[in-house]
Amino acid sequence: MTSVNIIGDFWGITGFASHVRGLSRALKKLNEATTVETQMPSGWEKNVDDLSFSLVSKPGDSTAWQVFITNPLMAQYKLREKNKGILPFMVFEGDKAPKQWAELGKKFRKVLVPSQHTKTALMNAGLEEERIVIIPHGVDLSVFKPKEKPRNEKCTFLWNKGWSKGINDRSGFHSVLQAFCEEFKHEEAVKLV
């Protein structure tokens, strides 16, 4: 099977780091030749499971596919190194990605994204649809435990972004609130936090 080297922050708490961990762990289960190229904090080996250990402890193969999950502008530096190919993985929360990202995306055969939302944001910035491939990560079942709930039980939607700039905030609370109000009636056992 083709080896894959994922480049990005494995240890952090950013969205990029979450995508590095999620995608690399899923790929490692399918392909033993998956590795992660990341900065290594001291003592990292003491607090990591076997799967994560095997991902980050082996050096990446320079001839492997390089999946770059960080600020996309950093992916261009890998263009100078020997490799099978580079696939930047772009993560974006707004409705139009930076124009630089779209221009950079044209230098690669394909650009990977986690969702239709990010694909649309890149297309709005000028990247052609045929260059974009959605690679969804699915749901972390250790966090979200699916089970059938009785209809009379209250359901809570949690929104976890700031509200520092009001209606101009890029986190889009106004969009969340509008969608919530359109979907649910006041008497339904649902709340938004």
Side-chain angles (χ1 to χ4, degrees), residues 78-149:
K78 279 287 184 184
L79 287 170
R80 297 188 174 114
E81 296 179 9
K82 181 183 177 189
N83 56 62
K84 187 169 201 158
I86 300 171
L87 296 168
F89 191 98
M90 298 185 179
V91 180
F92 193 73
E93 294 178 3
D95 61 351
K96 184 177 179 185
K99 192 166 189 74
Q100 298 164 298
W101 289 22
E103 292 303 314
L104 177 67
K106 294 174 184 177
K107 295 181 181 182
F108 301 99
R109 271 192 258 168
K110 296 289 182 184
V111 170
L112 308 179
V113 297
S115 66
Q116 179 63 47
H117 176 80
T118 305
K119 179 178 180 177
T120 301
L122 283 168
M123 289 169 33
N124 289 342
L127 189 59
E128 301 87 7
E129 181 176 10
E130 56 275 358
R131 288 191 183 269
I132 306 168
V133 178
I134 299 173
I135 306 291
H137 296 336
V139 175
D140 183 349
L141 296 178
S142 67
V143 176
F144 301 100
K145 310 250 187 235
K147 69 175 188 176
E148 192 67 32
K149 289 187 174 187

